[in-house]
Each structure stands twice: as C-alpha cells, then as structure tokens.
Amino acid sequence: MTTATTAPEAPASVGQVAGGNALAGTRTLIRFALRRDRIRLPVWILALLLGTLMTANSFSTLYSDPQDRANAARSMDGPAGLAMSGPRHYLDDYGFGSMLSHQMLGFMAVLVGLMSVLIITRHTRAEEETGRAELVRSTVVGRHAHLAAALSVAVLANLALALLLAFGLAGLGMEGIDTAGSLLYGFGHAAVGLVFAAVAAVTVQLTAHTRGASGMALAVVGVAYVLRAAGDSGENGTLSWLSPIGWVQRSYPYVDNRWWPLLLCLALAVACAAAGFALSTRRDVGAGLRPEKLGRPTASDALTTPLGFALRLHRGMLIGFGAGLFLMGAMYGSILGDAEDMLKDIDQIQEALDRIGGAGVAESFASMVMVVLTVVAAVYVVMAALRPRSEETAGRAEPLLATGLSRARWVGGHLAVAMGGGTVVLLLAGLGFGIAGAASTGDAGLLPDLVGAALAYAPALWVTVGVAVVLFGWFPRASQAAWIVPVYAFVVGYLGQILQFPGWMNNLSPFGHVPRLPAADMDWTPLLLLSLVAAGLVWLGLAGFRRRDLETK
C-alpha cells in the first residue's frame, strides 16, 4: 500500500515578501547606517556645535562693550557686509543673539547642507555604485528602503544638532541669547539641512555616480547661498526669498523669533523627498535617469597612462573647485576696497591685522582672507589624495595593479593631479581675488601681489597631500584623519588670529610657516623646507603602500 505524501509548500519568494512593502527592511538599514557612521556623524555634529559655541563665547570677549557692538553693526551695514552675513534687520538691535544669527546662520547653513548631502549620497548612490545595494535588495528589502533609511539618518543627525545647539547656546547664559531664540536657532539648522538632504535625494536619482550626485546637490547649496547674498545686499531682498538659506535667516532668531519660515523649508523638503522616491521607480538599480553619453570608439592615448587616467577621474572635481575658488576669491576681492571702513571700529580685528603687519589695512586683510581660500583648496587636495583609497576599497584598483602597472605609478598619477590641481585652484583663487581686489581698490598692482600670495601656499598644500599619503600607505583605515590638517589650519590660522591663540599652535600647521603675503616680505626658506617635507612624506607613504596588502570591501 502506498501512502500519499504532500510536498512541502514552497516558501514565498523575496519578491513576494518585499513587493507588497516598498519600505521593508528600512529599520534594519537605519541601524546599519548609524553603525557605519558611529564616528563620522558625531564628529560632524560636535564640530558644528563647538564651532558655534566658541564663536558665541568669543563675542562676549570681542564685543563686551555696547559701543563695540554698535560699531560692528555700522561696519556690516553695507552691500558687501550684508552679502557676507545676512539681512539688515538684524542690525536694528545688535546684541549677542542677533549678532550670532546674523553672522553665523548663513555660513552654518552651508556646512549643515554639506553634512546632509554627504549622508544621503553615502547611503544611497555610493551603495549602488559599489554593488552593495543590489546584493542587499536581493533579500527581503523594499525598493524605497535605502532612500528612506538615508533620509531617516539625515533627519536624526539634523535633529540631534538642533537640540544640542539649542540647549548649548541657552546654557551659555549670555545676554540676548535666551531659550526661545536658541530653540529657533537650532531648529533653523535642522530645517535647512533637511532641504538639502531632500535635494540630494533627487540628485542621486539623476546620475549613476556618487561624485556627480554630490556635486549637483552641492551646486544647489552654492546657488542658494549666492541668491541669499545677492538678495541681502540688494534694496528689497527679493532674491533671498528664492533661497532656503534666506528663509532660515528671515526667521530672525533672538530678534523676532518667527517660526513660519521654517515651514517653507519643511514643505520644500517634503516635496523634494517625494520627488526622489517617485524618480527612483523610473530607473534600474545602479543606473541613473540621465543617460550615459556614448564614449569614443577608442580611448585616447592619455588614458593609457596613469597620469592621464587619474586626470580623467579627477576632472569634474578639479573644474568645480577651480570655478568655486575663483568666484570665492572674486567675492572677497569685491569688498577689499571697503575693508578699512568696515573694520576700523572693531578693535580685535584691528589688533589681528596689526599683528600681521603690512603697508595698509587692505594688504593685511587680504592676508587673513588668503588663509580661508587656501583652506578650501586644502579640502580639494585631501579629497584628491584620498581618491586612491576609495578606488582600492571599491575593488577598482586590484584589476589595474594585476597588470604591469606598478603601485608607485598608479598612486603617483593621483598624487600628481592632487598636487598640481591644488596649485591650479590656488592660482584661480588668486586670480579672482586679484582681479576683483584691483577693481575695488583701484590698485592694479594688487593683481600680481595676490596671485603670488596664493601660490606661496602651494608647498603647504603639498605637505597636506603628503600627510594623506602617509596615512593611506601605512594606516589605510585611518586615512580620513587627513581632514585634521585643513580643519586645524582654519581654526588656528584664521580664527586663532582673532581669538589670539598662542603662536606655537600656528607653528603646528604647515600653513603657519608660509609668509603672510602681500602684507609680509617674501621668504623662500620656509617654502623650500615645506617642499622637502612634502617630498619626504610622499616617499614614506609610497613605501608603506608597496609593503601592505590591498584592502577591498
């Protein structure tokens, strides 16, 4: 007698399980993203928090007398000053709170936007570009889970920053910085951060490349800042209402405490996020909505060399930083003619300029501004110098090095672009600064002086590259520590001049050994020594890379 057997029921397929819930697995991906960013996000948040608290605390020292604050308000009450800071309405009662919002909100909005954009691209497009998203999506994970998780992490990061700013500022106990204004100030940062996170949720759908998505989103951040600056320096401020940065500034923390402009930010963030989800359904995993251009039938001869290939990989970033630094230099140069009138009543700034020395206020002020331009150039060289690390971890370096290409030549191509490209963006920054500065002051001699002052920082940039190479070669998992160099240079080299940090702190930075042209006289000795240090660091880093195994995630 035979017994009937029943075949086991086939398990539901992944498509059947996840297909009905496009957000399946989101909570798991959120936890995974927070685990991956357990160091990155706290560093971002603490840096933004401490920078704000230090600035607010410095105001009590720099502008302790009401007359000092009144003088600062008068110095800001001009097109150039308003373009660099914010709306004129803050100047009506220039206390510590209104001063903080006026001078910091626009600047901080750019940094918060940068943090938010990088969160989204790191956990969406970068996952697709490396192939990890496709692997994860083959399990019980919905099609919208990655984007929803990335946006959730951005929301959590911005809310954490908002609360820390609110309670941190309220806890300072400074006159004019109350709890209500601090809450609005903090949540203004969160609102603008969510806007740019949502913008990145759209740009990651348009291109198949992480750098392209980040570049488009950061271009929106730049346009928003330019619109804000143009509107605030104008008569009626209309253009500022086209910018989310302008909306946040017009919430007027510590002045009027208006919450409704933040609703505009939230509405735009929701609209852009919804557009990002909708657009994600119109493309395949790993692809972008923008079609790839057809390449040439054969590669150019330049792409067969390590230098030519590296230049092709870095081309977009190099062009972007070059154009951005030229415009940034031109913006600073446009106020160079008004620098003496803007700063004559601010004793602490005058003391900092006197320590620099120089024939006049314009030259001393230009020396201070040159530090800012150089730090931005240092951001480029760190990104370029760490590109081999991303190529290595993504698995693209191993096939190349399996051929006759040596490790030294492969890394050397990237380093040549980093060092040469850094010099080029310095040149462009000096050109923009010099052309606009010569026009605003009527002194044509400033053009070659400011170009030379910018190029004098090239050896310090090369040392920055050398530090990144040493970390990449010997301590690859600590490569991100190279960011300490530009951050330290800005804090000590720029803010330290105003806050009167000890001189030995500036000597720890390679940028602190560069002659402060055009205010100071040229001295070739430190530049030659910096060049030798850079060469030694590059040699040491290459030696380490030749000795270790490749790491592929």
Side-chain angles (χ1 to χ4, degrees):
M1 185 177 72
T2 61
T3 60
T5 58
T6 303
E9 183 179 352
S13 67
V14 169
Q16 289 173 319
V17 174
N21 183 4
L23 297 177
T26 300
R27 284 186 297 180
T28 301
L29 289 177
I30 291 173
R31 293 197 300 269
F32 181 57
L34 292 174
R35 175 71 172 79
R36 291 180 62 198
D37 287 351
R38 64 190 183 279
I39 297 176
R40 189 184 303 260
L41 282 182
V43 168
W44 263 108
I45 293 171
L46 288 176
L48 295 174
L49 172 66
L50 294 177
T52 301
L53 295 180
M54 288 174 59
T55 302
N57 193 54
S58 70
F59 286 159
S60 63
T61 303
L62 298 176
Y63 307 100
S64 56
D65 190 272
Q67 186 59 43
D68 293 334
R69 296 193 290 274
N71 293 337
R74 283 195 299 271
S75 70
M76 291 289 181
D77 193 8
L82 295 174
M84 297 294 293
S85 53
R88 180 176 280 108
H89 181 53
Y90 285 104
L91 303 179
D92 294 342
D93 183 13
Y94 216 45
F96 292 127
S98 57
M99 181 181 293
L100 178 67
S101 296
H102 186 228
Q103 298 187 23
M104 290 293 290
L105 260 180
F107 173 69
M108 289 289 290
V110 174
L111 296 180
V112 173
L114 174 61
M115 177 187 73
S116 301
V117 166
L118 295 180
I119 289 173
I120 300 300
T121 56
R122 172 175 168 80
H123 295 296
T124 55
R125 177 51 64 184
E127 293 296 288
E128 295 187 42
E129 192 172 7
T130 57
R132 292 190 292 263
E134 188 172 11
L135 180 64
V136 172
R137 287 274 294 274
S138 67
T139 64
V140 188
V141 173
R143 67 177 305 125
H144 293 323
H146 271 102
L147 182 55
L151 287 170
S152 298
V153 172
V155 170
L156 292 173
N158 281 285
L159 288 178
L161 175 63
L163 292 172
L164 288 172
L165 284 172
F167 291 112
L169 289 171
L172 291 177
M174 293 176 59
E175 178 186 354
I177 299 183
D178 55 12
T179 302
S182 298
L183 283 170
L184 179 57
Y185 183 87
F187 279 93
H189 288 69
V192 76
L194 294 181
V195 169
F196 294 124
V199 168
V202 174
T203 62
V204 295
Q205 315 303 331
L206 302 180
T207 177
H209 304 288
T210 305
R211 292 177 183 270
S214 299
M216 285 189 284
L218 293 178
V220 174
V221 176
V223 170
Y225 186 84
V226 170
L227 287 173
R228 194 282 311 161
D232 289 342
S233 61
E235 292 296 329
N236 52 20
T238 302
L239 288 176
S240 296
W241 286 103
L242 301 178
S243 166
I245 300 177
W247 300 343
V248 171
Q249 285 189 320
R250 277 157 178 76
S251 63
Y252 296 120
Y254 306 113
V255 180
D256 295 336
N257 287 343
R258 303 193 305 188
W259 285 85
W260 65 263
L262 303 191
L263 298 178
L264 298 176
C265 292
L266 295 180
L268 180 58
V270 170
C272 289
F277 282 113
L279 291 174
S280 68
T281 63
R282 305 176 65 88
R283 65 176 182 84
D284 294 329
V285 177
L289 290 173
R290 190 175 63 180
E292 296 285 343
K293 294 181 180 179
L294 294 177
R296 295 170 53 182
T298 58
S300 66
D301 292 338
L303 290 180
T304 62
T305 65
L307 177 60
F309 185 61
L311 185 60
R312 177 64 180 83
L313 293 177
H314 292 259
R315 182 178 62 182
M317 185 171 65
L318 178 59
I319 293 173
F321 268 89
L325 272 169
F326 180 85
L327 294 175
M328 190 175 178
M331 183 176 66
Y332 278 116
S334 66
I335 67 172
L336 200 55
D338 301 326
E340 186 169 0
D341 293 333
M342 289 175 57
L343 305 175
K344 64 181 179 181
D345 295 324
I346 306 178
D347 294 338
Q348 288 76 14
I349 302 294
Q350 285 292 335
E351 292 174 4
L353 295 178
D354 292 340
R355 286 194 296 273
I356 294 174
V361 174
E363 289 81 3
S364 300
F365 180 67
S367 298
M368 290 183 66
V369 170
M370 201 62 71
V371 175
V372 179
L373 297 176
T374 306
V375 167
V376 178
V379 171
Y380 162 77
V381 300
V382 171
M383 294 177 67
L386 294 182
R387 181 62 185 264
R389 175 61 179 167
S390 63
E391 294 291 301
E392 177 188 2
T393 56
R396 293 187 290 267
E398 194 169 6
L400 288 174
L401 296 176
T403 65
L405 179 64
S406 68
R407 292 191 177 197
R409 292 185 63 209
W410 175 68
V411 177
H414 289 281
L415 297 184
V417 174
M419 300 173 81
T423 306
V424 169
V425 298
L426 275 180
L427 173 63
L428 292 172
L431 279 173
F433 197 17
I435 292 172
S440 65
T441 60
D443 182 6
L446 273 179
L447 176 57
D449 290 345
L450 293 179
V451 170
L455 291 176
Y457 281 93
L461 286 187
W462 301 341
V463 172
T464 305
V465 173
V467 172
V469 177
V470 169
L471 292 170
F472 166 71
W474 291 94
F475 314 102
R477 296 188 179 182
S479 296
Q480 296 299 321
W483 287 106
I484 294 175
V485 179
V487 171
Y488 185 85
F490 176 75
V491 171
V492 176
Y494 181 69
L495 297 180
Q497 296 178 70
I498 301 173
L499 302 179
Q500 301 182 18
F501 286 179
W504 63 266
M505 295 183 67
N506 198 38
N507 292 332
L508 297 178
S509 168
F511 300 92
H513 298 278
V514 177
R516 303 301 296 273
L517 305 175
D521 295 329
M522 183 60 183
D523 184 0
W524 289 98
T525 301
L527 302 187
L528 292 174
L529 291 176
L530 286 172
S531 299
L532 291 175
V533 170
L537 290 174
V538 169
W539 176 85
L540 181 62
L542 291 176
F545 181 56
R546 283 194 294 264
R547 290 173 178 267
R548 70 172 176 85
D549 294 331
L550 292 179
E551 295 184 2
T552 302
K553 293 182 179 178

